[in-house]
Amino acid sequence: SFSPLLHGFLDQDVRRPRLLAEPWLYAYGRDDQLYNFQTFLFWLFDMFWQSLVVFFIPVWVYANSPEFGLWSIGVLHLWCMTAVVNLVLWFDAMYHTWIFDLSLLVSVLITMGFTALLHLNPIDGWYHVFHANFDEGLFWLTFLATTAAAALPHGVRWAYLSCWPRAIAYPP
């Protein structure tokens, strides 16, 4: 939750000196040029896409695996969703700082570390299953492929806006 807060505080379209010199730039956000119905539909589609991808790809990959149980697939879903949310924040940020980028990475690593520590209890019946799957290449391939596929719409949008940035309309 620290990463979205930093994103809200640190991200900016235009740097402070330019905003102070040209106050008409505030009209860009005020007149709904940044967040409009088209943007809302993109985010709605993206939320639906992420949900489908993060749920169904791991379920499809491990559908016939007898050792991959509910706890293991739950951990995979949690890790994928955490990575996707932070990757989407990175794509969405227009102004990157080292503390923001570090917070994204730390957020994913804390989630992974906490779930790994949670499953270190040898009394728990899922101990062996989680760690056996954790050592498999298929687990990590599924994690990376699911994360990349779920973040694909934002990656395409980021690449498009990097090649053809939005023009800021000058005052009349």
Side-chain angles (χ1 to χ4, degrees), residues 3-4 50 79-91 104 107-108 147 151:
S3 302
Q50 288 175 12
W79 286 12
C80 288
M81 207 59 235
T82 304
V84 167
V85 165
N86 284 292
L87 188 58
V88 164
L89 275 176
W90 188 86
F91 281 137
L104 297 176
S107 175
V108 173
T147 301

Side-chain angles (χ1 to χ4, degrees), residues 42-157:
F42 172 78
W43 280 92
L44 189 66
F45 162 77
D46 186 53
M47 173 268 317
F48 187 68
W49 171 258
Q50 288 175 12
S51 300
L52 289 175
V53 168
V54 168
F55 180 77
F56 284 110
I57 287 180
V59 168
W60 177 70
V61 168
Y62 287 105
N64 297 322
S65 176
E67 288 188 11
F68 206 82
L70 183 63
W71 282 99
S72 296
I73 204 155
V75 167
L76 185 56
H77 286 150
L78 173 68
W79 286 12
C80 288
M81 207 59 235
T82 304
V84 167
V85 165
N86 284 292
L87 188 58
V88 164
L89 275 176
W90 188 86
F91 281 137
D92 195 46
M94 293 185 173
Y95 183 70
H96 288 271
T97 61
W98 69 269
I99 194 164
F100 172 68
D101 292 341
L102 182 66
S103 74
L104 297 176
L105 180 64
V106 167
S107 175
V108 173
L109 293 177
I110 285 175
T111 302
M112 291 178 164
F114 180 74
T115 53
L117 285 174
L118 186 66
H119 287 86
L120 280 178
N121 183 4
I123 298 171
D124 185 11
W126 296 107
Y127 172 77
H128 173 70
V129 174
F130 173 75
H131 289 286
N133 288 310
F134 183 76
D135 292 337
E136 285 185 6
L138 184 61
F139 179 88
W140 291 104
L141 182 63
T142 305
F143 168 70
L144 293 174
T146 302
T147 301
L152 186 65
H154 273 278
V156 170
R157 181 176 174 259

Side-chain angles (χ1 to χ4, degrees), residues 18-35:
R18 185 167 178 201
L19 283 174
L20 291 174
E22 303 172 39
W24 58 267
L25 287 173
Y26 286 102
Y28 192 61
R30 187 189 67 219
D31 296 338
D32 296 329
Q33 292 181 19
L34 289 175
Y35 190 75

Side-chain angles (χ1 to χ4, degrees), residues 28 33 164-169:
Y28 192 61
Q33 292 181 19
W164 297 283
R166 288 185 245 174
I168 296 178

